Amino acid sequence: MALVYRHFPLPQHLGAKPAAYAAEAAGQQGQFWEMADLIFDNQSDWAGRRNVAEIFTGYAKDLNLDLTKFQSDVAAKAIKEAVEADKVSGNKFAVAGTPTFFLNGQKIENPKNYEEFKKIINDAITKNATSTTP
């Protein structure tokens, strides 16, 4: 089993693309999930703002990232292309909003809470284990 995270920056969220770039840039230094957590946990600090670079650079500083590398990576063509490729992939699979979850290639209804999500995943694991048992 694998967890795959894909970006799907929605156009109505002004900071969504910069947030995706920041997470990817932090990932270049092995801290994707830590940056993603800061971005989501502190969304009220940057949502609706046009210039969020200073905020995300602050998060990078909090994570003790190499700030020169971080800023270079945020602006890198490869990072922007990776985020755009995720968006194109989401469009291909009819993703309309976030979050959207797929399990074993099938789009699932968003769980209401952690326990419901855990049950959906455990049920899939159980189903997979019983279908592969001789």
Side-chain angles (χ1 to χ4, degrees):
M1 183 181 292
L3 174 65
V4 177
Y5 183 98
R6 302 241 172 118
H7 298 284
F8 196 76
L10 298 169
Q12 65 268 32
H13 297 295
L14 299 176
K17 279 187 180 180
Y21 303 153
E24 288 297 317
Q28 295 297 307
Q29 297 184 52
Q31 299 222 30
F32 174 87
W33 291 110
E34 292 83 354
M35 178 63 82
D37 286 346
L38 284 172
I39 287 169
F40 283 105
D41 290 346
N42 297 292
Q43 193 170 359
S44 63
D45 294 342
W46 59 267
R49 294 181 60 177
R50 289 196 184 281
N51 186 5
V52 294
E54 185 176 313
I55 293 170
F56 297 149
T57 298
Y59 298 162
K61 186 175 181 179
D62 292 345
L63 294 172
N64 295 315
L65 299 180
D66 175 329
L67 296 183
T68 301
K69 178 169 176 31
F70 174 78
Q71 290 170 339
S72 175
D73 288 341
V74 164
K77 182 179 177 184
I79 295 259
K80 290 179 170 53
E81 287 175 347
V83 170
E84 183 58 26
D86 283 356
K87 177 79 165 146
V88 168
S89 174
N91 288 333
K92 178 180 173 186
F93 290 99
V95 171
T98 60
T100 299
F101 298 102
F102 289 81
L103 182 61
N104 295 328
Q106 299 296 314
K107 189 174 181 180
I108 62 171
E109 290 294 320
N110 285 351
K112 294 179 182 91
N113 54 47
Y114 171 77
E115 289 303 319
E116 185 178 317
F117 202 18
K118 184 176 169 182
K119 180 179 179 344
I120 291 167
I121 292 170
N122 285 333
D123 288 351
I125 291 169
T126 301
K127 181 179 176 184
N128 187 49
T130 58
S131 67
T132 58
T133 304

